[in-house]
Amino acid sequence: MTNRSDFEAIADRQREAQQKKDFDDHQNSMAGRDTGRLKRTFTGAASRGPSDLRNKLSNTTAQMSTLDMLLTDPLFAARHATVSDLLAQAENSINSALAELQNEIVRVRGNLQDTLDNANRLPDGTRVFRDADGNVYTEAGRLVGAEEVGAIEWKENAPLYEDFLRQKNAVETLVEKIERLMRFRIDVLGKARHQLNDPDDPPSLDDLDEIEKDIREASARIFEHDEAIENTPEETHRRVSNIKLPLLGN
């Protein structure tokens, strides 16, 4: 975070800017051009003495937070604005992606429920599914014995065990992906916003570079290829694969 050297660097830049302004005023004055310097220097001085002016300046400075003081430096303000804009872009992108994933999970949960509703059942009501090899499994994954299989009243066009597993995996995969994005929003973006807006312990220029790096690197990782999606139904695979975090601006 900020330290004494940060303020010293800002003071140096402000002193150099003032020296340049004084030199320009002098040059304009020698050329007979109105510099506005007297107006800047003496406006209101007739009604306020030197002590009043010093007190007002001191009170104004005392009311400023550390962040406010840093933002008076053009270099810091510009860098802070750039990182803040990047953060806002990442937040908007994540919120949009989460909204799309929430819509998709509603759809796949509906499909899973339809699959469960159409499943065969044991006499005690336990849902069961037959796989492509003829084996029968319960919803919980237990292999059903021959005696229990004989008691099942088979439905026509009941879903296969493979269908059930794909639907179940689709829901679990989407839940995990949504949780991952929410953790990213809190752990990376939320942390960055706290750092950028901390009035008493704001980031230094080096911190701003690190914040930007964290946002960019984490954003690039968040939508890396997800092998779990490969085992979901084709429609879910297509929809989720199309949900990407846009490239963040340079």
Side-chain angles (χ1 to χ4, degrees):
M1 292 299 171
T2 53
N3 52 49
R4 182 176 179 81
S5 62
D6 295 317
F7 290 103
E8 289 173 348
I10 291 174
D12 289 341
R13 288 194 292 271
Q14 292 177 335
R15 183 165 53 252
E16 290 171 2
Q18 185 59 49
Q19 289 172 347
K20 183 179 183 304
K21 183 64 179 174
D22 290 344
F23 177 77
D24 291 342
D25 283 345
H26 176 69
Q27 293 294 96
N28 288 328
S29 178
M30 293 296 292
R33 293 187 291 269
D34 180 17
T35 66
R37 183 169 185 173
L38 288 176
K39 184 176 181 179
R40 290 196 303 272
T41 304
F42 294 109
T43 297
S47 60
R48 298 189 299 273
S51 178
D52 293 330
L53 292 173
R54 284 195 299 271
N55 289 338
K56 182 177 181 180
L57 179 61
S58 176
N59 291 336
T60 300
T61 303
Q63 293 172 4
M64 295 176 68
S65 68
T66 305
L67 177 59
D68 289 335
M69 287 188 284
L70 286 174
L71 288 172
T72 63
D73 173 53
L75 178 62
F76 179 87
R79 191 76 185 94
H80 188 276
T82 297
V83 179
S84 295
D85 289 344
L86 180 73
L87 172 60
Q89 185 182 351
E91 288 173 331
N92 290 336
S93 298
I94 282 296
N95 290 339
S96 177
L98 279 169
E100 291 186 64
L101 288 171
Q102 292 285 2
N103 290 335
E104 180 61 11
I105 200 171
V106 169
R107 191 186 72 83
V108 298
R109 276 177 169 157
N111 291 344
L112 175 60
Q113 190 58 53
D114 289 343
T115 298
L116 292 172
D117 291 342
N118 292 323
N120 289 298
R121 293 177 182 264
L122 294 175
D124 64 2
T126 301
R127 296 182 179 94
V128 292
F129 303 89
R130 183 154 43 195
D131 69 9
D133 296 325
N135 300 308
V136 178
Y137 294 89
T138 66
E139 179 183 351
R142 178 178 67 83
L143 180 63
V144 179
E147 184 177 346
E148 290 179 295
V149 169
I152 298 173
E153 294 185 8
W154 297 99
K155 296 180 181 179
E156 291 186 8
N157 301 320
L160 292 173
Y161 189 52
E162 290 84 355
D163 296 330
F164 164 69
L165 290 179
R166 280 193 293 270
Q167 297 291 351
K168 180 171 176 285
N169 183 65
V171 172
E172 292 173 348
T173 299
L174 287 173
V175 167
E176 191 279 332
K177 187 173 280 288
I178 288 171
E179 289 176 347
R180 195 192 320 163
L181 262 64
M182 293 183 71
R183 287 195 301 271
F184 169 77
R185 186 169 64 177
I186 295 170
D187 296 343
V188 177
L189 302 186
K191 177 183 175 182
R193 182 156 294 284
H194 174 74
Q195 289 176 298
L196 287 172
N197 295 334
D198 191 328
D200 301 317
D201 189 20
S204 65
L205 287 172
D206 288 341
D207 292 329
L208 290 174
D209 291 341
E210 193 65 26
I211 292 171
E212 178 179 2
K213 178 183 175 183
D214 288 346
I215 292 174
R216 290 188 182 279
E217 290 183 352
S219 297
R221 290 194 306 268
I222 198 67
F223 277 107
E224 288 179 340
H225 178 69
D226 192 344
E227 291 186 1
I229 290 296
E230 300 291 344
N231 296 321
T232 62
E234 182 178 350
E235 180 69 5
T236 297
H237 183 195
R238 182 184 64 78
R239 288 171 179 264
V240 174
S241 296
N242 286 337
I243 301 174
K244 302 292 185 183
L245 189 65
L247 292 176
L248 299 179
N250 294 324

